[in-house]
Amino acid sequence: MTCHPVARPQDEVPDTSYRTVAVVGPPNSGKTTLFNRLTGLRQKVGNFPGVTVEHHTGYIRDSEGEEVALIDLPGIYSLTAKSEDEKVAIDVLQGNMPGMSRPDAVIVVLNSTNLHSHLVLAGRVIALGLPTLVLLNMADELHKQDGGVDVLSLARQLGTPVALVSATTGAGLEAVTNFLSASSPLPEPMELPVVGSTRSVREWAVRVGENANYRRPATPIWTSRLDNVFLNRTWGPVIFAVVVIAVFQTIFAVGQPLSNLLQKFLDVTGARIGTVLPEGMFRSLLINGVWKGTGSVLVFLPQILLLFLVIGILEDSGYLARAAVIADRTMSRVGLNGKSFIPLLSAYACAVPAIMATRTIESKRDRIATILIAPFMTCSARLPVYTMVIAAFLPNRPLLGPFLGTRAVAMLSLYLLGFLMAVMTARLLKSTVLKSKDAPFILEMPPYRWPKFSALMLRLVDRGKAFLYRAGTVIMLVSLLLWAATNFPMHNGQPPAIQDSVVASLGHAIEPVIRPLGFDWKIGVGLVTSLAAREVIIATLGTLNGIDAESHSFDLQNALRHELTIPGAIALLVFFAFAMQCMSTIAVVRRETNGWKWPAIQFAYMTIVAYVSAFAAYNIAGHFIH
Amino acid sequence: MELKMIFNFIFGRKQPRNHHAGKLADLRVGERAILEEFELDHPIAEHLMNLGFVPGLEVTVERSGPGGDPRVYRVEGTEVAMRREVSRHIHVSLVGAPAFGD
């Protein structure tokens, strides 16, 4: 490992060491890799108040063993307060962020292979007057591609310590611990662009770079070679399709069975624990409330982790940006950009990981739009409901030989229905509230790199934790409420039959509202309980009719035919296609948008769309079918 | 690179070749030019400059996406993909003869 020089411009005056240090850097500077390298798993996620911007705080010991909190600020190019991310960074660095004191110092992480562009940010940050350390990251790539820079000269010009480091190899990182323990004097730069246009700051940056003998590295040959294939007119789309199918298969064919297996395991262990405990309310609360609630949180983990593993590989390797370029033409027709494609595709398996995956979309408006339309995609939880209702009402007749029957066509129509509503909603959003003339598709193409295993794992742990703590609590709470609704009021310490429970009263209460859709109170109860997960309506209807839904699905289909008319069945399918009938999605939208505003709007919108469409379907179908 | 030239010949838009100023969107793949003025809303122009697309620097049309839009442009070490809706608002002045790739 080479020893990179750490240059200090002046004699340092030992002072008290720093307690909190902010880390800033442009996107693609390797800032997150560096942050993870420094803090490891000792980090926590938080949201800044009132904005969707997330930040990580990690802990590190300086060279004297003192603990220092590192705050990882969002990736930004400048400090012009144009975007939410930049506003947050400025507020934190100036000490204007509510609930957070001004950091004692700043570490600026720059990509040394792209110094002229990135020095612009360094200039702006140093001008804020906090003690600053400038890290020139990706030193290994710089040297490998024949680039170089005089660190001492740079330090002299900037008036701050400067070090060449590599976050991936860890080379040069002792500069950070040294910086943290010994306060350096306030920067006294030669000629810093305190104010000025981006163009003038950029000219300053080029001057500084040239004075420091900066040699830009050659463009990595492999990036250009790989792009010849990945962005090729013919092969580009083919490879894209293969990647997309692989992503989809991973969550659908691997994640889904894993989730089911986990569910089975939790059910079995729940039942086991149940036999040990004495019968009564406590057992019911523990097994049917707490344990079931925990289960409904945990079952999402395999899919979330798998999706983030796949997306992490795509993102870290650099392919995700190319995929966005390829998907962009199609997505632009809907008013979205290429980056929405993979999240929307994963929503066909489950909206929960899909919504978490939208964080790869930089534009806030596009991200919200993608979150809002993702639950319209036909997720796997809708399938059992569709299957049962279609099986109950539609005899299977071959349409196109043995491959395409009436039931398959009905199922495909429902997929199409969800997709069309998503497209319509996207168009509606992008032409009204989320109109984003200010954010057209401009995307930096990072060079291709091998994804690092440790970085991937850290992200999985991070996403898993974020989901469990922040969304899991809401899911748990709703599960407990649903348990209470089905187990109260008690008679002589015994839970009531479902017909006499609170949830049944709820079903009766909403009956007048859902009557115009052709639903009775039993379906109403199913609509309430299916908030836990869409397929729960099957078990609920089974219980209400005294049928075990799993072993006697044929009996349940019979019962359903008494419950619903054919127009009512069509209305039920349409309702399930459109309604946001899923507390986990609501919880995860709240978590990702940092507030109840968007999930509330989304729930209201989807419910209204579902209601109106189901009403229309019921009446139109009723007109033709008697 | 011959293939690229043939592609450009077949799919390239027909237009005068020896004009000395134009829009970034009108350049062909492999051509270079000097960035001039951005006829774009301030935040977009600002964002482009932050990415390294600063007036006065040389820009190369690196490659085109499969559908011809967006295309990938390079300034110094940075490659950026943008749609025609952006690149047709960027004025450039041509330098030298068109070079087809490197």
Side-chain angles (χ1 to χ4, degrees):
Chain A
M1 197 176 289
T2 50
C3 184
H4 297 287
V6 180
R8 281 179 183 278
Q10 281 131 351
D11 286 339
E12 54 211 47
V13 188
D15 206 311
T16 49
S17 64
Y18 308 127
R19 295 271 70 82
T20 54
V21 175
V23 182
V24 292
N28 295 322
S29 62
K31 177 175 67 76
T32 306
T33 317
L34 187 105
F35 182 80
N36 288 338
R37 180 106 200 172
L38 289 171
T39 61
L41 281 172
R42 305 178 63 210
Q43 38 176 279
K44 56 176 199 248
V45 203
N47 273 90
F48 291 112
V51 290
T52 59
V53 181
E54 194 181 75
H55 67 98
H56 288 75
T57 306
Y59 298 90
I60 174 178
R61 292 195 184 281
D62 65 18
S63 54
E64 273 140 43
E66 298 280 330
E67 187 157 89
V68 182
L70 286 188
I71 306 157
D72 189 20
L73 293 177
I76 49 169
Y77 290 103
S78 184
L79 287 181
T80 43
K82 284 292 174 310
S83 69
E84 202 177 36
D85 283 348
E86 291 182 3
K87 280 190 197 95
V88 164
I90 295 170
D91 281 349
V92 170
L93 292 176
Q94 294 184 334
N96 294 331
M97 181 54 74
M100 187 180 271
S101 55
R102 193 178 190 202
D104 304 320
V106 199
I107 297 175
V108 186
V109 186
L110 309 180
N111 181 347
S112 64
T113 67
N114 195 2
L115 195 63
H116 287 165
S117 282
H118 284 186
L119 269 177
V120 172
L121 178 70
R124 303 268 199 204
V125 172
I126 296 168
L128 291 174
L130 285 168
T132 308
L133 168 69
V134 177
L135 295 181
L136 309 179
N137 196 12
M138 308 191 182
D140 46 343
E141 284 184 32
L142 178 78
H143 291 145
K144 210 187 298 169
Q145 303 289 341
D146 242 10
V149 65
D150 179 355
V151 175
L152 271 160
S153 157
L154 212 53
R156 223 176 298 116
Q157 292 183 75
L158 297 174
T160 63
V162 176
L164 266 168
V165 300
S166 166
T168 41
T169 66
L173 287 183
E174 63 279 358
V176 176
T177 37
N178 290 339
F179 170 74
L180 293 177
S181 48
S183 305
S184 46
L186 281 179
E188 278 177 46
M190 315 284 277
E191 40 151 357
L192 269 187
V194 182
V195 283
S197 67
T198 305
R199 188 171 178 175
S200 70
V201 180
R202 166 75 188 211
E203 277 159 8
W204 163 84
V206 172
R207 254 194 334 272
V208 169
E210 277 170 2
N211 288 342
N213 289 324
Y214 177 61
R215 285 194 317 282
R216 192 160 52 81
T219 321
I221 185 111
W222 275 107
T223 292
S224 164
R225 279 187 190 161
L226 285 172
D227 273 343
N228 284 342
V229 180
F230 289 146
L231 290 177
N232 182 281
R233 273 169 207 270
T234 322
W235 293 110
V238 172
I239 294 167
F240 175 77
V242 170
V243 168
V244 154
I245 291 167
V247 172
F248 192 65
Q249 278 299 100
T250 310
I251 21 176
F252 212 79
V254 183
Q256 203 71 46
L258 272 178
S259 285
N260 292 344
L261 211 68
L262 188 65
Q263 183 78 67
K264 277 262 158 55
F265 172 76
L266 289 167
D267 286 350
V268 171
T269 39
R272 268 287 158 76
I273 299 170
T275 55
V276 186
L277 295 169
E279 200 168 320
M281 193 185 107
F282 176 69
R283 185 176 89 174
S284 172
L285 171 67
L286 206 68
I287 305 302
N288 296 325
V290 178
W291 194 261
K292 271 234 171 78
T294 316
S296 47
V297 176
L298 287 181
V299 286
F300 288 108
L301 265 190
Q303 295 188 47
I304 289 176
L305 296 184
L306 268 173
L307 183 63
F308 270 92
L309 179 69
V310 178
I311 289 185
I313 293 171
L314 294 181
E315 194 175 16
D316 290 2
S317 66
Y319 183 73
L320 198 64
R322 277 74 184 180
V325 168
I326 290 182
D328 187 63
R329 221 173 136 75
T330 317
M331 298 302 287
S332 68
R333 305 217 169 109
V334 205
L336 290 171
N337 77 48
K339 288 219 137 188
S340 303
F341 190 87
I342 287 192
L344 286 180
L345 181 88
S346 8
Y348 276 102
C350 176
V352 170
I355 285 164
M356 292 182 77
T358 58
R359 58 182 54 231
T360 53
I361 305 169
E362 287 100 359
S363 155
K364 287 271 143 41
R365 283 157 186 263
D366 283 356
R367 183 169 175 218
I368 299 273
T370 311
I371 288 175
L372 292 183
I373 65 172
F376 279 120
M377 303 302 175
T378 305
C379 70
S380 52
R382 285 179 174 105
L383 287 183
V385 185
Y386 288 176
T387 313
M388 183 192 65
V389 177
I390 290 173
F393 288 91
L394 191 68
N396 203 11
R397 291 203 193 92
L399 285 178
L400 272 176
F403 300 110
L404 196 68
T406 40
R407 286 180 180 170
V409 169
M411 191 67 103
L412 285 174
S413 325
L414 287 166
Y415 268 87
L416 193 67
L417 200 64
F419 175 76
L420 289 178
M421 187 51 77
V423 169
M424 275 167 61
T425 305
R427 279 189 175 277
L428 184 76
L429 285 170
K430 296 297 290 183
S431 56
T432 55
V433 275
L434 293 174
K435 199 169 192 161
S436 61
K437 262 194 90 179
D438 56 343
F441 184 75
I442 298 174
L443 189 62
E444 193 175 348
M445 300 276 108
Y448 290 99
R449 295 191 180 94
W450 280 111
K452 288 277 179 300
F453 182 76
S454 57
L456 288 173
M457 287 305 121
L458 265 170
R459 182 152 29 178
L460 291 195
V461 171
D462 182 55
R463 287 304 100 206
K465 264 163 60 180
F467 172 74
L468 288 183
Y469 295 158
R470 311 284 294 283
T473 42
V474 176
I475 299 174
M476 187 74 185
L477 198 73
V478 180
S479 300
L480 288 179
L481 282 175
L482 281 173
W483 171 83
T486 42
N487 283 275
F488 287 94
M490 296 220 169
H491 294 291
N492 312 323
Q494 289 294 315
I498 192 165
Q499 287 82 347
D500 307 319
S501 66
V502 174
V503 78
S505 324
L506 280 173
H508 282 292
I510 62 169
E511 195 177 11
V513 184
I514 57 173
R515 176 60 57 197
L517 311 182
F519 305 161
D520 65 358
W521 70 272
K522 288 184 184 173
I523 302 283
V525 174
L527 292 183
V528 174
T529 56
S530 66
L531 273 177
R534 289 181 174 91
E535 71 269 20
V536 171
I537 191 176
I538 297 174
T540 303
L541 287 174
T543 317
L544 283 170
N545 288 300
I547 300 163
D548 180 32
E550 212 162 303
S551 58
H552 294 81
S553 68
F554 196 70
D555 294 345
L556 184 59
Q557 288 174 21
N558 267 328
L560 208 60
R561 275 195 286 272
H562 292 286
E563 208 85 54
L564 287 165
T565 58
I566 292 178
I570 294 173
L572 186 64
L573 289 172
V574 170
F575 190 87
F576 264 83
F578 295 156
M580 197 183 186
Q581 206 66 358
C582 176
M583 61 166 174
S584 309
T585 308
I586 300 171
V588 88
V589 172
R590 188 201 79 91
R591 193 246 161 286
E592 292 297 314
T593 60
N594 195 25
W596 285 109
K597 181 182 134 196
W598 287 112
I601 291 173
Q602 188 176 19
F603 184 76
Y605 171 75
M606 291 184 74
T607 308
I608 290 167
V609 167
Y611 187 89
V612 172
S613 314
F615 180 78
Y618 180 66
N619 284 291
I620 294 168
H623 196 76
F624 293 104
I625 307 161
H626 296 284
Chain B
M1 286 309 103
E2 293 79 11
L3 242 162
K4 203 185 256 179
M5 286 172 74
I6 294 164
F7 265 128
N8 283 337
F9 179 72
I10 297 168
F11 297 105
R13 290 168 311 286
K14 305 280 180 294
Q15 56 177 323
R17 308 222 39 190
N18 46 359
H19 60 320
H20 288 280
K23 306 287 172 58
L24 188 54
D26 299 333
L27 296 181
R28 297 174 190 194
V29 173
E31 282 185 324
R32 296 159 200 228
I34 303 291
L35 289 170
E36 298 289 342
E37 198 189 334
F38 295 173
E39 247 179 83
L40 292 160
D41 288 346
H42 186 63
I44 305 172
E46 185 84 15
H47 183 54
L48 279 171
M49 284 195 260
N50 283 327
L51 286 169
F53 281 55
V54 183
L57 295 182
E58 190 185 82
V59 63
T60 312
V61 189
E62 269 298 288
R63 61 185 77 249
S64 148
D69 190 32
R71 298 201 295 180
V72 182
Y73 302 91
R74 182 159 56 82
V75 168
E76 294 194 348
T78 314
E79 289 190 6
V80 171
M82 64 180 101
R83 287 184 187 162
R84 182 167 294 276
E85 70 186 29
V86 178
S87 57
R88 69 191 169 90
H89 294 294
I90 297 176
H91 291 265
V92 293
S93 59
L94 297 182
V95 279
F100 289 94
D102 299 307

